[in-house]
Structures are given as C-alpha cells and as structure tokens.
Amino acid sequence: MQTVNNPGDLEPIWQAYREAVRAGGNPHTLYREMVWPHLLALWRTAPQVYPERRSFRVSIHTLGTSPEATTLAVLGTGAEEVYVLHTEETRRHLDQLEADANRRVYPKEVHKSDVAQIYQQVYEILKRLPKDTPVALDITSGTKAMSAGLAAVGFFFRRHYSNLQVVYVDNEEYDQELRRPKAGTERLMILPNPHEAVGEVDVLLAQELYEKGDFTGASGYFSGLVKQTGRQEYVLYATLSEMYGAWWALKFEEALRKGKSLLERLGNDPYLLHPLNRQRPRLQAQVELLEEANRFLDSKDLGQRRGVLAVAATLLHLSEEEEHPSLKALYAYRALELLLQERLHRHGRRAEDPRLSPEEKEALGQELARILGGEARVGDRLGLLDVMAFLRVLGDPVLKGMSLQEVQGLKGVLQARNQSLLVHGLEVPTEKEVGKVAKGAKGLLRALQDELRLQPSLEPAPLEFWGRREE
Amino acid sequence: MQTVNNPGDLEPIWQAYREAVRAGGNPHTLYREMVWPHLLALWRTAPQVYPERRSFRVSIHTLGTSPEATTLAVLGTGAEEVYVLHTEETRRHLDQLEADANRRVYPKEVHKSDVAQIYQQVYEILKRLPKDTPVALDITSGTKAMSAGLAAVGFFFRRHYSNLQVVYVDNEEYDQELRRPKAGTERLMILPNPHEAVGEVDVLLAQELYEKGDFTGASGYFSGLVKQTGRQEYVLYATLSEMYGAWWALKFEEALRKGKSLLERLGNDPYLLHPLNRQRPRLQAQVELLEEANRFLDSKDLGQRRGVLAVAATLLHLSEEEEHPSLKALYAYRALELLLQERLHRHGRRAEDPRLSPEEKEALGQELARILGGEARVGDRLGLLDVMAFLRVLGDPVLKGMSLQEVQGLKGVLQARNQSLLVHGLEVPTEKEVGKVAKGAKGLLRALQDELRLQPSLEPAPLEFWGRREE
C-alpha cells in the first residue's frame, strides 16, 4: 500500500478511483477497496482536526448508514471510551467500525426518531463522569433527529460539563461527478460554543443576574462586555449595576458616586441616544434620594427628613427582599427606630439621653403602665417602646393617632428586639413578629412620605437595550 | 387538481408518480409536477405537526439544496416573521420558497461551514425580540454545520428565551425504490427540550445551586425530582439542603430537625447504600453541633460552652460568607459579644447587670483608663470594651493573655458597634473595622475550641451521587 502522510497524498488515489468508476465499476465497492484503506491509514496516524486536536476522554457518536465518517470521528477525537448510538438498522456496521477504528466501542441502541431516548442515553453516560471530563459528542452520522438530539443535549449540558464539545466530520470538497465528498478533504470540526463565538451573548447572562438582584455578578459581565465587544456603551450598564449593588449593601456614598457618574454620562454627547436614557426620570429620582441619604448620614442631623426617609425606605426595602428572619427583623427594627428617632428629634429629644423633666418622667411612666397593663420603670435612655410612649405623651400626631390597642400589639416585639440572636440575645424572631415590626415601620414611613410628598420608587430600573421591542 | 385533505389522500398520487418514474421519466421533474402541488396544498391547509401545532411568531430556517422541506417547515411553523439562512448556492431557491409558502421571507446569507456566523445571525434576530416570543428554529435543510449550528444556538438561548423551539421536518417512510422520502409521511417535529424529556437533569441544576450556597433553591429542585422520577432517594438530598438552609438562617431548631431526620433515614434499610452515607461522619458531627446549639439556645445557659461554641462558630461562618459590610460586621460583633458573655459567665457575671463591688468598679475604671489612654466612666451595664477590660481585671487567662496594645487596637471598633447603621447609629463599617472584630472573635473562638477539643467543620457536605466517578 502506498504511504499516505498527508491529505494531499490522496489526490492521485482519488483520480484512480474516479477512472475506475468511469470504467463502470461499482462506486461503493471501489471506494472501500481503493480509497478507504488509504484514508483510514492517514487518520490513524494523522487525524485532520479543526481548529486543532484535543484530547478527549470520552466520545459519543450517532451512527447512520455510512460508518466511515463515524470511524474518522472516532479516530479524530481519540477518546479512550467510545459510545455509539446506533439504530436497529445500523447495528450491522459496529464490527467494521471497531475494526477500522481499532478500538472497542460501547453500543447503545436508539430509535432513529426518538430524540428523548438520545437525551436519556447521553445523560446516563454523562452523569457518571466528573464534571470536567473532556467529552466529544459527534453528530456526523445518523438521522436529522439523532444529530439534532445529540447537539441539543450537548449544548444543554455545556452549562454543567465545562469540557464538553460538539464535533462533526465536514468535507471541504464535493465531487459532483461521483456525488461523493472528495477523500482527503475531511476534517473533524470542533463546533465553537455560541458563548465563545458571540461574546455579546453575555448580555443575556448579565441581564439574568441583574433581574435576580445579583448586581455584583451583573456588573462583572457588563464590564467584561466592554472588553469583548469594544463597545463603551456597556460601561453604563456596569455602573448602573454597581449603583444598586452598593445601595443594597448600604454603601450610600459609593452608590451616589456611581449614580452621579451614570447620569453625567447619559447626558453627554456620545450617550444621548443610549437606551438607558429612557429610564432617566427614575434614575434621576433615585440619585436625588441617594443625595438626601448621604447628606443625612454625613451630618447625622435627624432634621434632614428627606434623608431619613431615604435611609428608612432603603432598610424597609431590604427587609422585604431578605429571606432570613433574623435579618428581615433587623432591617425592620432599625427602620422603625430611625423613624421614631426622627419624630423624637422634632421635640428636641434623643432616645439615648432624653433629659426628661420630673413631670415628663411621671407622664411617661403612666403611659407605659397603660400600655403594659401594669407597673413600668422609666430608665436613663429610652428603648423603642419608651420612645413610642413618650411621643404619645408629647402629643406627636402620628403616634397619638394610633389606638392603645395598636401600640399594645407592638409591645412584645419591641421589647424583644434586644433579645434577638443578632442583637444581644438568643432568640430568632418569628415571621409574625417580623411582620408586626415591618407594619409599624411602614406606617411611620407612609406618614413621612405624605408629609414630604416624596414617594420614591426603590425598584431597580429595568435594563433597556438597543432596538429591543417592548416585552 | 384532486382535493387532498389528509396525508392518506397522497397514496394514489405517490403510486402514479412511481409508475411514471418506472416508465422512464425524470424523477425530479415528475416530483415537482405530480406530487409537490398536492403535498403543498395539504400543508397549506393542514400542516402535519408533531406533537401538536403551536403558534410561532418568528421562525428561522437553514436552507439547503432541497427547498421543499423548508417550505413545509415554514408552513408548519406558520410564523409571521420568517428568516432564511441560505448560502451563496441556495439563494436561488428563495423565490420558489416564497411563492410556495405564500409568505415574504427575510434572507440572510451565511457560509455553509461557518457556524459562528450562524450564531451571530440568530443572535442579531433574537436580541431584538421580547424574551417570551415564540420562536421556531428549523434545522431541516442545509449542511450539517448549518443544522448543528442552529440547533446549538437554539439550545444555548433556551435559557433566556423561554418559548424558543428547535424543529425539523421528518419522514416516517422512505421509498427505497425511488430513493426519496415518501410524500404524505412528512411531519414537522417539535424537538423536546432535554430538560423536559429527561427530568432527572434537574439534579445538575440542584447541584449548581447547592454549590453556590442557595440551599432553598436546591431543595426545591430535589423535592421536584422525587415527583418527576418517582425516586424517593432524592428526598434525602432535599432534607440535606433544607438543613443547611435553616442553619444559615439561624433557624437552629428546624436545622436540627432536618439533620436528625436525615441521619435517621440514612441509617434505615432502604437507604443504607445511599451515597450520602459516605458523608455520614461529617453529617453526624454537624447534627451534634446543632444539638448543642439548640440546648444552649433553649436553656439560655451560658454554661453550655459547646452550645456557645456552636452558635459563635455559625455567626463567624456567616460573617465570612456575607459580602455586605454592615451584615458582615453584625455577625462578627455578635459572635465576639457572645464569646465574651460566655467568659464573663464563668465568673458569675452578666454584662447587662454586672453587680460590681466598689473595688471592682475602681479596678475596671483604671483598666479602662489604661486602654483608652485617658479618663473612663463605668456605667450600669457593660459594653463590649467594658467586658473585655473587666475580664482582664478578673484575671481571665485569654483576655489577660492579650497585650494592652491588642486590646487598644480593638477599642475603636468596639465602641463603634452601636454607631452602626444596622444597630442604633448611622455608620457603615469599613472592611478594616470588620476585619478587626472578626479577628478578635476568631481568637476567642479558637481558645474555646482548644479548651473543649471541638473543632467542627461548618462546610456543607459535598453532594454524593450514585456511580459518579471521583472528580
């Protein structure tokens, strides 16, 4: 047999084959005799793989009526463990395939149109493998259903099996006269992952994370997109994500900085048509809210009511989003306390050092006794319940507006704050307790909102993209 | 023309066609004349779709050298907006396709082997559509690369476009004599999603969530798997996930209940070979830890040192896992306080009501003055720094073992606790501050661990599955 070291060496062999067919021979028989042994010899020593050879540990192939292409795929992937999904009809090619590929294959029979069965078979193989196993799924041969099924399951599993590749044997040239792909032009193609080939699809992942509230994750993808696509517009989405990320981490200063920078860029020439400009009213309102929050936190002046509103609304928003009861309670308690601190401040008092006159002390003692339905001691500093009672004594309209029953309903949870495992105690709040605190805080927030005519939306702005139609 | 109302009506037409071919006619020309008009008429009124017709708004098709199959796919999907990915060679079929399908199509040229180009084209179409648009990707026609590329991108995008379906036209019967699929046996197949067809792949999603620490999400998938697969073994994974979910939410009682139920089942006959039994030693140790935590929290007896250790270790674990600085600090502060409360308890004292003798009060004042480098006032109840100082006065070996400098290093952060936005103040702790608190708490935890010879691992047990090879 002639030595075939590279695909070009097959050219004269193909010419000879063509002559023999022209002379009236059976094309199939002649191919097996004249061409196939040389092609096989070439692939046994030097498989043609595009873009380059990789070492696979496992390969899974669909087998149709032409086993030669599958043989090349087996040689090209070079896996130790080879599974072949064949049909009742194509089982008869298995022996030849094993002999040609010089490898033991594990056959698995499937119906040629049963896609679900292919999924199941592939899953059975994959589930026993470590997640980083290099696996090739070869869709070269078999019916459309078989190939499509294998490709489908391949890309479906890519999320979990990081080294899984879909491959197929392609031909560069087709011999029209012989109605056959020309030998020597075969290549095992490793299908690129859509994710690698179209970097911009990261937008979808970023959006998924953003919508789930993972702003740090979203920002990472958006920043990556700037590099991948060279499109500076993605910076603005990253900044937006970072703004919310910082805000929910209570880093108000950082959130404000990001928000301002975002608005500034959105107002600049290159970004005037940026889709996020559609969210400008909401963003502007949120950045103003962050301004207020920062002004308040910097000055620590409880007279900055808009700032108090901004921080309390943030805490209540976080309480609502949070799932863990201890944290949910913690945010709600702090919101309630802050709103009470603000009201107390209107009377020039502070809970840590209330400076009660003897008359006030007595009146507070009486109010507390009414609420508690028994004796009450007034300490040096006022706890949550004390502040509520004292505000009633002082004639605060909102607290006065609550019935004795309402205040009594809160007494248990207010006294329990310090008993919480996350504060100084060992209790974990129940859902019911959290609900009561949150309700109390929301009532106070509403009163402040009505007074200031400021009802900000804390919902993150929806992501807007170029040319996307309305959902 | 004969009326064709259902596929069976094509039978006599096919027989006539076969006769005509046998009589020596050109099979292709005869097909176009004798068969195709009837097949087309049938699909125009009653497309054959399996498992059932759906309304698609958009369809994308690869176009190879036989436009008839693609025409059927266009009629079968019935979309308003039809995109056709054709090659240089197959562009010439577009007019016929439009005429036959009686629909305007949007052509997009691709190279027959350039998979990345197909991804890009599909992405360009999809990215402008609302995420819930019903889209059909038809892989019937075109080269292997084109079909595989379209299928790949389809299953890749399924995660983001919930109503995207991959479809193809299949034939049930092949006429061996005519070497052609028999007319009337064509069906547009809607490819099932691997996820729907193989319910068990939810294991992979559950595992992904578990490994990310989303135990609630993981438990949801595992519970669903019991129903989908009928395999009771998945209950144990759900229970395991729920145990950690409750634990990290500080619901110690629920966590213990789940843990005990898990261990009990793992010890029972049907589950003796359950793969999670490989994690039994770790699980047993963790359940014991939860027992200790609960006993302590129920009795509130700080003398239950193993329980204190369990709760403090949990708080420090949460502090480490948490990303938001306010929460990170909160967990660390509480761990430190709890560990100090425990040490104080050894001396029969409580921070809220320390009952200091005049001598103790003086000694504490002096120690505080040394730490603060100035005057110090001793109040009714002891704050974190007071407790540390008082423990030094009392000769506590661990606190005594710290240098004055070390204690001084902590003074700022300890005094700042109440100033935190999540406690009573308006400050957000910095990373450096959090680090100091956590370091202090870890030192105390280590001392307790050494004393009790108990160094529990709080890492969630890795998921073990049947027959999976080692990673």
Side-chain angles (χ1 to χ4, degrees), chain A residues 57 81 83 112-113 115-116 119-120 123-124 127-132 139-142 144-145 147-149 151-153 155-157 159-161 168 170-172 189 191-195 197-198 200-201 203-205 207-208 212 216 231 245 248-252 296-297 300 311 315 323-327 330-331 334 337-338 341 380-381 417 420-428 466-471, chain B residues 57 81 83 112-113 115-116 119-120 123-124 127-132 139-142 144-145 147-149 151-153 155-157 159-161 168 170-172 189 191-195 197-198 200-201 203-205 207-208 212 216 231 245 248-252 296-297 300 311 315 323-327 330-331 334 337-338 341 380-381 417 420-428 466-471:
Chain A
R57 226 187 77 204
E81 239 176 270
Y83 297 90
K112 73 182 168 68
S113 301
V115 173
Y119 298 161
Q120 188 69 49
Y123 176 66
E124 294 296 330
K127 76 174 191 183
R128 296 176 185 278
L129 301 176
K131 296 275 177 65
D132 56 354
I139 63 169
T140 306
S141 171
K144 207 90 183 174
S147 299
V153 86
F155 285 96
F156 181 79
F157 281 120
R159 177 168 172 182
H160 308 284
Y161 289 84
Y168 67 98
D170 203 0
N171 284 88
E172 292 227 313
M189 307 292 287
L191 217 59
N193 186 262
H195 189 243
V198 187
E200 214 171 350
V201 297
V203 171
L204 297 170
L205 292 171
Q207 195 178 3
E208 184 181 307
K212 267 197 221 155
T216 313
R231 289 173 63 179
W248 306 149
L250 298 173
K251 299 184 207 164
F252 287 96
F296 160 53
L297 293 174
K300 301 196 170 47
V311 175
L315 292 167
E323 280 176 13
H324 289 193
S326 298
L327 297 176
L330 192 91
Y331 286 124
R334 185 64 187 113
E337 185 188 49
L338 181 60
Q341 283 170 337
D380 296 355
R381 34 179 158 176
R417 183 188 190 189
S420 163
L421 185 53
L422 283 183
V423 184
H424 301 298
L426 301 173
E427 307 282 0
V428 175
W466 290 267
R468 174 134 352 136
R469 303 180 203 162
E470 289 306 307
E471 309 223 358
Chain B
R57 226 188 78 205
E81 241 176 88
Y83 297 90
K112 72 182 168 70
S113 301
V115 173
Y119 297 162
Q120 189 68 48
Y123 176 66
E124 294 297 330
K127 76 175 192 184
R128 296 174 185 279
L129 301 176
K131 295 277 177 63
D132 57 354
I139 63 169
T140 307
S141 172
K144 207 90 182 176
S147 298
V153 85
F155 285 96
F156 181 78
F157 281 119
R159 176 166 171 187
H160 308 283
Y161 290 84
Y168 67 98
D170 202 0
N171 284 88
E172 293 228 313
M189 307 291 289
L191 218 59
N193 187 262
H195 189 244
V198 187
E200 214 170 351
V201 298
V203 171
L204 297 170
L205 291 170
Q207 196 178 0
E208 185 181 306
K212 266 197 221 156
T216 313
R231 289 174 63 179
W248 306 148
L250 299 173
K251 299 184 207 162
F252 288 96
F296 161 54
L297 293 174
K300 302 197 170 45
V311 175
L315 291 167
E323 280 175 13
H324 289 192
S326 297
L327 297 177
L330 192 93
Y331 286 125
R334 185 63 189 113
E337 184 188 50
L338 181 60
Q341 283 170 337
D380 296 355
R381 33 179 161 176
R417 183 190 191 190
S420 163
L421 184 54
L422 283 183
V423 184
H424 301 298
L426 301 172
E427 307 282 0
V428 175
W466 291 269
R468 170 123 10 124
R469 304 179 203 161
E470 289 306 307
E471 306 222 1

Side-chain angles (χ1 to χ4, degrees), chain B residues 67-304:
Chain B
E68 289 86 1
T70 303
T71 303
L72 297 184
V74 169
L75 292 169
T77 51
E80 304 149 30
E81 241 176 88
V82 180
Y83 297 90
V84 174
L85 308 178
H86 64 89
T87 64
E88 207 183 335
E89 189 197 349
T90 65
R91 136 178 289 160
R92 64 196 159 87
H93 299 305
L94 285 170
D95 287 345
Q96 187 66 53
L97 175 63
E98 282 195 331
D100 285 351
N102 195 20
R103 202 156 318 207
R104 172 102 188 75
V105 307
Y106 302 80
K108 284 178 177 272
E109 188 166 317
V110 294
H111 186 276
K112 72 182 168 70
S113 301
D114 190 346
V115 173
Q117 209 184 7
I118 289 174
Y119 297 162
Q120 189 68 48
Q121 292 285 11
V122 174
Y123 176 66
E124 294 297 330
I125 297 166
L126 289 182
K127 76 175 192 184
R128 296 174 185 279
L129 301 176
K131 295 277 177 63
D132 57 354
T133 311
V135 180
L137 302 186
D138 160 41
I139 63 169
T140 307
S141 172
T143 62
K144 207 90 182 176
M146 288 162 75
S147 298
L150 193 59
V153 85
F155 285 96
F156 181 78
F157 281 119
R158 269 292 298 232
R159 176 166 171 187
H160 308 283
Y161 290 84
S162 50
N163 290 318
L164 192 152
Q165 302 278 357
V166 176
V167 306
Y168 67 98
V169 174
D170 202 0
N171 284 88
E172 293 228 313
E173 266 182 67
Y174 192 81
D175 191 315
Q176 292 293 348
E177 183 190 332
L178 293 170
R179 301 190 67 179
R180 239 185 202 289
K182 190 171 163 193
T185 68
E186 299 86 355
R187 290 195 301 178
L188 181 76
M189 307 291 289
I190 298 179
L191 218 59
N193 187 262
H195 189 244
E196 287 147 25
V198 187
E200 214 170 351
V201 298
D202 274 351
V203 171
L204 297 170
L205 291 170
Q207 196 178 0
E208 185 181 306
L209 293 174
Y210 184 96
E211 278 157 13
K212 266 197 221 156
D214 178 355
F215 297 105
T216 313
S219 146
Y221 275 114
F222 282 128
S223 301
L225 276 159
V226 180
K227 271 178 239 151
Q228 280 168 47
T229 66
R231 289 174 63 179
Q232 286 300 316
E233 299 94 356
Y234 284 117
V235 173
L236 274 62
Y237 296 102
T239 309
L240 178 72
S241 309
E242 285 156 15
M243 175 181 108
Y244 291 116
W247 191 348
W248 306 148
L250 299 173
K251 299 184 207 162
F252 288 96
E253 206 182 310
E254 188 182 323
L256 175 61
R257 207 169 55 240
K258 299 286 177 190
K260 274 180 167 172
S261 134
L262 177 63
L263 285 181
E264 198 190 307
R265 293 212 213 184
L266 282 175
N268 278 354
D269 246 15
Y271 298 121
L272 286 178
L273 293 176
H274 194 290
L276 279 178
N277 259 321
R278 281 179 236 149
Q279 290 296 324
R280 208 185 165 84
R282 181 195 302 235
L283 292 172
Q284 209 133 19
Q286 291 184 337
V287 169
E288 274 163 31
L289 202 70
L290 287 168
E291 296 249 29
E292 299 285 1
N294 271 284
R295 208 172 295 140
F296 161 54
L297 293 174
D298 283 347
S299 66
K300 302 197 170 45
D301 171 11
L302 286 158
Q304 305 257 7

Side-chain angles (χ1 to χ4, degrees), chain A residues 339-356:
Chain A
L339 290 162
L340 288 171
Q341 283 170 337
E342 185 276 313
R343 298 204 80 83
L344 199 58
H345 177 267
R346 298 179 184 214
H347 300 274
R349 306 302 179 94
R350 296 189 310 131
E352 315 86 87
D353 185 14
R355 305 183 180 214
L356 301 177

Side-chain angles (χ1 to χ4, degrees), chain B residues 135 197 308 343:
Chain B
V135 180
V308 173
R343 299 205 79 84

Side-chain angles (χ1 to χ4, degrees), chain A residues 203-254:
Chain A
V203 171
L204 297 170
L205 292 171
Q207 195 178 3
E208 184 181 307
L209 293 174
Y210 185 95
E211 278 157 13
K212 267 197 221 155
D214 177 355
F215 297 105
T216 313
S219 147
Y221 274 113
F222 282 128
S223 301
L225 276 159
V226 181
K227 270 177 240 150
Q228 280 168 47
T229 66
R231 289 173 63 179
Q232 286 300 317
E233 299 94 355
Y234 285 116
V235 173
L236 273 62
Y237 296 102
T239 309
L240 178 72
S241 309
E242 286 155 15
M243 175 181 107
Y244 291 116
W247 191 348
W248 306 149
L250 298 173
K251 299 184 207 164
F252 287 96
E253 206 181 312
E254 188 182 324

